[in-house]
Amino acid sequence: MSVLGAGVVAASVFPRGGRRLVVYVVYDRRGGVEDFVVHALAGLREHAAHVVVVANGSLTDEGRAKLAPVADSVLVRDNRGYDIWAHKEALEFVGDLSSYDEVVLTNDTWFGPVRPYGPVFERMDARPVHFWGMTDHAEEVPNPFTGEGRLPYHLQSFWIAVRREMFLSEQWRRYWRELPEMPDYFDAVLKHEAVFTKQFADRGFVAEAAFPYRKYPTTHPALFNADLLIDDGCPLLKRRPLFHYPPFLDRHAVIGRWTLERVESYGFPMPLIWSNLARNVQPRVLNADAAMLEVLPDVDTSYDPTTPLRIAAVVHIRDLARIDDLLDRYVTLPEGTDLIVTTMSHEDADHVRSRLSRRTDLTPARREVRVVQARAGRDMSAFFVACADVLRDERYDLIVKIHSMKRAGIEFNARRYFRRHQLENLLSSSGYVRNVLALFQREPGLGVVFPPMVHIGFGTMGRAWADYRQPVADWCKRLGIRVPLDDASPLAPYGGMWIARREALAILADHPWTYSDYRRKETQAPADLPRIQERLVTLACGELGYHVRTVLNTEHASISHTALEEKVDQLFSTTPGYPVEQIQFLHRAGWAGHGGPLSLARMYLRMNHPRASRVAEPGLQLAWRAMDKARRVRDRVRGRRSSGVMAVESSRV
């Protein structure tokens, strides 16, 4: 316990019947208020005499209405200075704090209450402290944000509770009066979060964490041991383990899927989590952090026949030789699934109708063959233009989209594998399909399922944006989609086959697409609209709060994993360290502008000419520092660090 400094009043417990002020900061890039925020505040109401919500940026009328039952005061401010300046302005807004016994400064970077707030408040109420946090972070050397010095021990700023002996002190008033400007994330960390605890502890104020890191196997349990915190009664789940850099979490074996299973076991409403993450996290990052690939058996283990789903299958047939292949997939769907076939000409349509009439295993409630009025757009124009009415038909719960793949310029084996990868991982067998449908039954927020990115026979990994990133960004702006784009490759249904909840496709289905949209003009970029739409599916679903999953059957999981393991093993054999370090090294080496040629030269000298490497090292070190400084400036401009963990918790999604 700290020695009391001059003018510091001894700490006391929180009095029975005391008054608590809660200041909660929310930021939403759309100006709204998500349901998980309302849920968190509703639980806090019974423990607070007054709740002030600060909206950083903007607040819609709908958002204000959602806050009305859970907040006493709502303050809207410009989004500057991060949560810290929001807390400062809220304290100024409240003014006289003398009627309160405790002030809780918190924000929307956590989900809760996963476990009840009450027991934690009761336990901490009895502790004679000046301020306390929900969790803390150990001292770290060197400081990961500067590469030198120390990151002091600190309470994490997403939850700081302060007693009256401290918030009525001159030291408290001086701290907020002299609070520096914080134009970027690094300032917020280095000028507030990392120093707040130390500054007040050095002046004799007593601090404590409700769930101190010393009781856990890591120095940062909020990130690395969220499941253990929850088991111990922590009411909050930090959002960061579900949107942090996946290779870093992989390095520390942080398994988000297991954490979410633990959260669900305590009865937390999971749709609140999935909706928020789908709207605000890069889809591929979420897919990796939450392990959202489902490997399903061919025997039905989970489908509930008492709550059947109404399904329409939209089947585009461009290659008449593949008619029976597609119909064989269709019959794996439950009986009564409507069948809408699109094809390219009236002659082809007659051929399809003839083949349908000879198939005795088809049992659709509705069977229809449509002729697509233009060839441009292939299966995508057939889906979004020719079948626009089907996509808006409220009779359907799910829409299945498959087609006959006919791609020139791809060797036979790759073409054959890609076709099987698509069809068999969506419609493998009757039992498998029912397991896929059960995912939709179990998760009302599940929007789309599709096979993972193909990587056998194709060089898509790491470069699947190709020429499409900017066109996709342009269409997102046009369609009002604000889900952040993936970095290296987007999570998308490559090949254009999926099973989707009809409502999840609303943004794309409601847009007035025409066949002329698919006709590329000579002045247009190389990216064509069908491939853009493939990459928009996940983003459009996410904007509406629907998450996606990838699916594999057991055979394809075996094929894919063994091939991928061997490729990754060969790739990582070229550089030392853990994968996260190897990836960072290769990113730097491959970045044309700073570090690329230098990194490769340094690596070559060390591996092949150790003596020359020692002679050249001082000069290389100077050059490296200059280039690394430039890289850090670049990363700060981008608003993130490329070097791994953001150990302190001030940032936003």
Side-chain angles (χ1 to χ4, degrees):
M1 184 173 293
S2 302
V3 177
L4 294 183
V8 176
V9 179
S12 64
V13 299
F14 185 81
R16 185 180 298 275
R19 288 170 51 82
R20 179 178 287 116
L21 169 67
V22 172
V23 178
Y24 183 99
V25 180
V26 60
Y27 168 75
D28 188 284
R29 58 169 55 90
R30 302 167 183 86
V33 174
E34 297 213 20
D35 291 340
F36 86 91
V37 170
V38 177
H39 186 76
L41 289 169
L44 281 174
R45 280 301 256 154
E46 64 179 287
H47 303 285
H50 195 89
V51 175
V52 177
V53 174
V54 186
N56 271 347
S58 62
L59 183 64
T60 63
D61 291 341
E62 181 183 1
R64 190 178 290 274
K66 291 175 73 172
L67 289 174
V70 294
D72 299 293
S73 304
V74 176
L75 176 64
V76 182
R77 62 181 293 275
D78 292 338
N79 185 24
R80 61 181 182 84
Y82 294 83
D83 296 351
I84 300 93
W85 274 78
H87 285 140
K88 172 182 168 66
E89 292 187 22
L91 293 171
E92 293 170 352
F93 170 79
V94 174
D96 183 12
L97 299 175
S98 61
S99 64
Y100 298 104
D101 298 286
E102 187 170 86
V103 174
V104 175
L105 304 178
T106 186
N107 59 36
D108 64 349
T109 62
W110 46 269
F111 298 113
V114 178
R115 305 292 300 277
Y117 295 117
V120 179
F121 277 123
E122 291 173 9
R123 175 162 58 87
M124 297 310 295
D125 286 351
R127 300 295 300 160
V129 296
H130 290 106
F131 64 118
W132 62 275
M134 194 65 70
T135 58
D136 56 2
H137 191 290
E139 180 182 79
E140 195 166 345
V141 180
N143 187 325
F145 291 90
T146 62
E148 57 189 15
R150 295 174 179 269
L151 177 72
Y153 164 85
H154 59 275
L155 301 177
Q156 294 185 288
S157 65
F158 68 87
W159 180 289
I160 299 285
V162 184
R163 300 270 168 82
R164 61 184 294 110
E165 293 85 4
M166 180 165 153
F167 65 67
L168 293 179
S169 69
E170 175 56 29
Q171 293 93 329
W172 174 266
R173 289 189 291 271
R174 185 186 307 121
Y175 181 88
W176 292 104
R177 187 169 59 244
E178 298 175 356
L179 190 71
E181 295 289 335
M182 298 176 185
D184 66 24
Y185 169 73
F186 279 76
D187 291 318
V189 171
L190 298 175
K191 295 179 181 179
H192 172 70
E193 181 161 19
V195 299
F196 179 89
T197 302
K198 186 176 188 304
Q199 282 199 23
F200 283 98
D202 287 349
R203 286 163 174 77
F205 292 95
V206 179
E208 196 170 294
F211 299 91
Y213 79 89
R214 291 181 179 85
K215 293 185 177 181
Y216 297 93
T218 66
T219 59
H220 191 359
L223 180 64
F224 297 132
N225 306 116
D227 56 333
L228 301 183
L229 287 172
I230 293 168
D231 285 345
D232 285 347
C234 182
L236 315 183
L237 169 68
K238 285 294 292 179
R239 292 158 71 203
R240 178 164 292 282
L242 300 169
F243 69 79
H244 199 61
Y245 186 45
F248 180 85
L249 297 180
D250 173 272
R251 162 68 180 86
H252 296 277
V254 177
I255 310 299
R257 185 180 182 117
W258 292 348
T259 300
L260 289 172
E261 289 173 354
R262 195 72 58 87
V263 170
E264 187 173 20
S265 73
Y266 286 110
F268 189 83
M270 299 303 290
L272 303 185
I273 293 179
W274 290 123
S275 176
N276 170 257
L277 297 175
R279 285 164 56 85
N280 295 289
V281 179
Q282 294 171 306
R284 183 167 292 282
V285 169
L286 175 57
N287 185 260
D289 284 351
M292 298 177 73
L293 166 65
E294 300 295 326
V295 179
L296 302 172
D298 279 310
V299 177
D300 176 13
T301 61
S302 51
Y303 182 69
D304 181 2
T306 65
T307 57
L309 297 164
R310 299 163 299 176
I311 307 170
V314 176
V315 181
H316 181 64
I317 298 178
R318 184 182 180 191
D319 182 358
L320 294 177
R322 305 246 72 90
I323 292 178
D324 283 314
D325 288 349
L326 294 178
L327 294 180
D328 288 344
R329 297 299 162 190
Y330 164 79
V331 298
T332 64
L333 291 160
E335 289 188 9
T337 296
D338 287 355
L339 175 62
I340 296 93
V341 178
T342 57
T343 190
M344 307 300 293
S345 68
H346 289 285
E347 181 181 355
D348 288 350
D350 290 339
H351 187 89
V352 170
R353 291 188 186 97
S354 174
R355 191 71 197 97
L356 290 176
S357 66
R358 295 198 296 270
R359 292 282 300 240
T360 59
D361 55 345
L362 305 180
T363 59
R366 169 189 179 189
R367 180 165 64 190
E368 185 178 348
V369 179
R370 300 183 178 187
V371 176
V372 179
Q373 297 177 14
R375 290 182 176 272
R378 306 178 296 277
D379 57 286
M380 286 300 204
S381 62
F383 189 73
F384 286 113
V385 181
C387 294
D389 60 313
V390 178
L391 307 186
R392 301 186 185 114
D393 193 331
E394 295 183 359
R395 290 178 297 175
Y396 297 121
D397 299 307
L398 303 180
I399 307 291
V400 178
K401 179 183 182 295
I402 60 174
H403 62 95
S404 61
M405 305 178 67
K406 189 174 184 179
R407 295 192 173 188
I410 300 175
E411 66 178 50
F412 172 79
N413 278 353
R415 189 169 64 249
R416 177 178 60 180
Y417 172 76
F418 193 15
R419 182 174 64 249
R420 292 189 61 176
H421 176 77
Q422 294 291 300
L423 291 171
E424 292 175 12
N425 288 313
L426 280 178
L427 306 173
S428 177
S429 65
S430 177
Y432 177 85
V433 167
R434 279 153 181 76
N435 289 324
V436 173
L437 299 180
L439 298 175
F440 288 96
Q441 291 178 323
R442 187 167 64 245
E443 299 178 26
L446 178 59
V448 185
V449 300
F450 49 83
M453 179 192 293
V454 64
H455 61 86
I456 296 176
F458 292 83
T460 48
M461 284 200 152
R463 56 179 67 92
W465 274 119
D467 296 313
Y468 302 107
R469 186 182 178 89
Q470 189 55 50
V472 167
D474 293 342
W475 271 105
C476 283
K477 185 175 181 180
R478 184 172 175 180
L479 295 170
I481 298 171
R482 300 188 183 184
V483 178
L485 302 187
D486 287 308
D487 290 328
S489 293
L491 180 69
Y494 302 103
M497 302 193 203
W498 61 72
I499 300 175
R501 196 179 299 275
R502 185 187 59 79
E503 295 92 339
L505 295 176
I507 290 178
L508 295 177
D510 291 345
H511 184 78
W513 307 102
T514 65
Y515 290 113
S516 62
D517 293 330
Y518 294 87
R519 298 191 183 99
R520 276 195 291 172
K521 301 177 178 63
E522 292 182 1
T523 57
Q524 287 181 321
D528 64 334
L529 184 55
R531 299 298 165 254
I532 293 171
Q533 288 176 321
E534 280 183 1
R535 289 155 175 80
L536 282 170
V537 168
T538 298
L539 300 166
C541 290
E543 181 62 28
L544 296 177
Y546 290 97
H547 60 279
V548 306
R549 289 190 180 275
T550 51
V551 289
L552 285 173
N553 69 15
T554 53
E555 180 183 34
H556 279 276
S558 175
I559 294 169
S560 175
H561 182 83
T562 51
L564 188 61
E565 181 181 333
E566 174 62 17
K567 285 183 285 195
V568 171
D569 186 58
Q570 291 288 339
L571 179 62
F572 286 166
S573 69
T574 61
T575 50
Y578 285 92
V580 63
E581 297 155 348
Q582 296 169 312
I583 291 167
Q584 289 165 356
F585 173 81
L586 293 173
H587 277 174
R588 295 184 190 185
W591 181 41
H594 293 287
L598 178 62
S599 297
L600 294 176
R602 194 180 197 184
M603 178 174 68
Y604 175 80
L605 286 173
R606 285 182 172 179
M607 296 178 70
N608 298 286
H609 302 283
R611 183 174 298 177
S613 174
R614 287 192 293 272
V615 173
E617 186 63 23
L620 289 171
Q621 285 280 359
L622 289 173
W624 177 261
R625 288 193 188 101
M627 292 183 176
D628 195 52
K629 183 177 180 180
R631 178 189 59 78
R632 289 177 182 274
V633 171
R634 178 203 63 172
D635 291 336
R636 289 183 66 163
V637 170
R638 289 182 176 178
R640 66 174 188 267
R641 294 191 313 117
S642 64
S643 57
V645 64
M646 295 182 184
V648 193
E649 302 291 339
S650 289
S651 69
R652 297 266 177 210
V653 174

